[in-house]
């Protein structure tokens, strides 16, 4: 049994773990730093672009963990899984028996697959999240004729968009596509984009609606096992084609999977839906979420959130002193700002990990610290169906009850802009396309400026409203 001492310990090689390590290496370059990762490939954030103070777009790249040591000489790596965490004596024990003595630790173990019924009994049911599963999916795509896609988040949406030459049946339990991120209007915008551009009227439409629905309940976007792929993983599928047959897409709404069984026929799987329909296919892509993953034993059980995540405060510290956590494994257990809420996204994994690193460093050097400004406003920047998508604040009216209205501007094949207003003040926005409104919307939400005097002109395409708020 070997023993290693380190000031900082990080567990997990996903976006959260690597971000935490890199931030600590910059904050405290002279101190020892160690990461425990089960894979030699880790996820590293690259090509960071800022559209506003809190709106960030970035790529996620597979990186050899050893390359991090060349950049950060104070870093050591253990290729193993954590078995036991002794928080009282501050000792982490790995599966192969290595003891790591630490001062502060950050748990970034991500999420475990929450796949569909019977998925663990068949190799033809694939969960898309890590590099290995993408590679396997590409092989299935090359040899398959029909696939069933289950789930309605970003990964499922981009599989539908990026794959060609294979029949696709998209099974969703909502009544519109991509419901994790967008509203029915944006879903219609995307579906129209599937059509031939010559068949679409490109006239800009501007309209205002008063909302009368009950409180909108937002479902947590949960990833799948291992390190999340990040926003641009699907580009690897762009050139994967099946030579036989034309691309076909069928979307089945408001239904779930009842069972999946293997059969010895032309198609290997039989998928039974809750509406009684049976679909035969070559394989199933399950993109239905994760549960927070804590696959090790504790000497004392930390406080958990209602979803099983490690409950953390505004500094990403758990209920156990000197134990921090970040990413999909956590539950945000602090009084959040009015325009921020938790969704398990690579964006928030990066934000939480940066905050955890700053708090860990502050504890070691005995300095006071404030929560990072990024937690003032929910933001997420991604790509759906080939369009840039920026979500800001309460973009679907989350928690606003019936007392709000929405202002829409849409131009087919070009842009979809939705403002969520309450008492004349902007509470959230969806920006699809190259709108260049990110910074203005960020400022309007944070400053809560009364927009009533502008009426519908706030989104009039003939008025450069941005000039008013420079």
């Amino acid at each position: 049994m070997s023993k290693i001492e380190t000031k900082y310990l990080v567990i997990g090689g996903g976006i959260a773990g690597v971000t935490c390590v890199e931030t600590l290496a910059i904050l405290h370059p002279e101190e020892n730093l160690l990461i425990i990762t089960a894979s030699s490939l880790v996820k590293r954030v690259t090509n960071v672009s800022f559209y506003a103070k809190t709106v960030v777009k970035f790529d996620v790249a597979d990186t050899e963990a050893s390359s991090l040591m060349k950049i950060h000489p104070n870093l050591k790596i253990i290729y193993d899984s954590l078995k036991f965490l002794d928080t009282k004596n501050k000792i982490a024990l790995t599966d192969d028996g290595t003891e790591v003595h630490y001062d502060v630790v950050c748990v970034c173990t991500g999420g475990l697959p929450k796949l569909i019924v019977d998925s663990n009994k068949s190799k033809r049911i694939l969960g898309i999240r890590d590099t290995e599963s993408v590679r396997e999916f590409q092989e299935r795509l090359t040899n398959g004729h029909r696939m069933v896609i289950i789930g309605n988040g970003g990964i499922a949406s981009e599989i539908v968009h990026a794959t060609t030459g294979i029949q696709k049946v998209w099974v969703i339990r909502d009544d519109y596509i991509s419901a994790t991120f967008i509203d029915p209007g944006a879903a219609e915008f995307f579906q129209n984009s599937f059509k031939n551009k010559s068949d679409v009227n490109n006239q800009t439409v501007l309209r205002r609606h008063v909302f009368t629905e009950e409180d909108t309940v937002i479902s947590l976007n949960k990833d799948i096992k291992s390190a999340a792929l990040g926003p641009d993983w699907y580009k690897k599928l762009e050139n994967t084609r099946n030579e036989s047959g034309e691309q076909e897409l069928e979307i089945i709404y408001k239904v779930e999977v009842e069972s999946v069984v293997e059969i010895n026929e032309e198609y290997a799987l039989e998928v039974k839906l809750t509406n009684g329909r049976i679909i035969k296919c070559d394989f199933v892509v399950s993109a239905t979420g994760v549960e927070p993953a804590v696959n090790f034993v504790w000497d004392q059980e930390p406080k958990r959130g209602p979803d099983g995540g490690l409950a953390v405060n505004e500094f990403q510290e758990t209920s156990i002193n000197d134990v921090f956590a970040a990413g999909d494994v956590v539950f945000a257990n602090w009084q959040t700002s009015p325009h921020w809420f938790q969704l398990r996204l690579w964006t928030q994994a990066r934000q939480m990990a940066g905050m955890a690193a700053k708090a860990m460093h502050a504890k070691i050097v005995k300095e006071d610290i404030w929560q990072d400004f990024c937690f003032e406003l929910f933001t997420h920047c991604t790509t759906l169906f080939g369009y840039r998508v920026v979500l800001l604040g309460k973009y679907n009216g989350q928690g606003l009850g019936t007392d709000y209205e929405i202002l829409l501007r849409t131009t087919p094949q070009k842009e979809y802009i939705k403002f969520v207003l309450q008492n004349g003040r902007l509470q959230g926005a969806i920006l699809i396309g190259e709108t260049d409104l990110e910074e203005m919307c960020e400022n309007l939400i944070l400053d809560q400026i009364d927009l009533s005097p502008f009426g519908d002109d706030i989104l009039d395409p003939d008025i450069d409203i941005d000039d008013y708020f420079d």
Side-chain angles (χ1 to χ4, degrees), residues 339 422 425-427 443-450:
H339 297 102
Q422 186 178 57
R425 292 168 169 81
L426 190 64
Q427 306 300 321
N443 291 334
L444 291 178
I445 296 173
L446 291 172
D447 296 341
Q448 287 297 285
I449 297 171
D450 187 2

Side-chain angles (χ1 to χ4, degrees), residues 344-365:
R344 285 184 169 86
L345 304 166
W346 48 82
T347 300
Q348 290 194 358
R350 179 175 178 266
Q351 292 171 340
M352 289 177 172
M355 183 69 248
K358 294 172 187 176
M360 293 164 74
H361 173 254
K363 176 159 279 198
I364 292 297
V365 299

Side-chain angles (χ1 to χ4, degrees), residues 294-314:
V294 185
N295 297 326
F296 56 86
V297 180
W298 303 72
D299 64 327
Q300 54 180 323
E301 186 65 25
K303 184 177 180 181
R304 304 279 186 129
D307 59 4
L310 300 177
V312 296
N313 62 17
E314 66 270 30

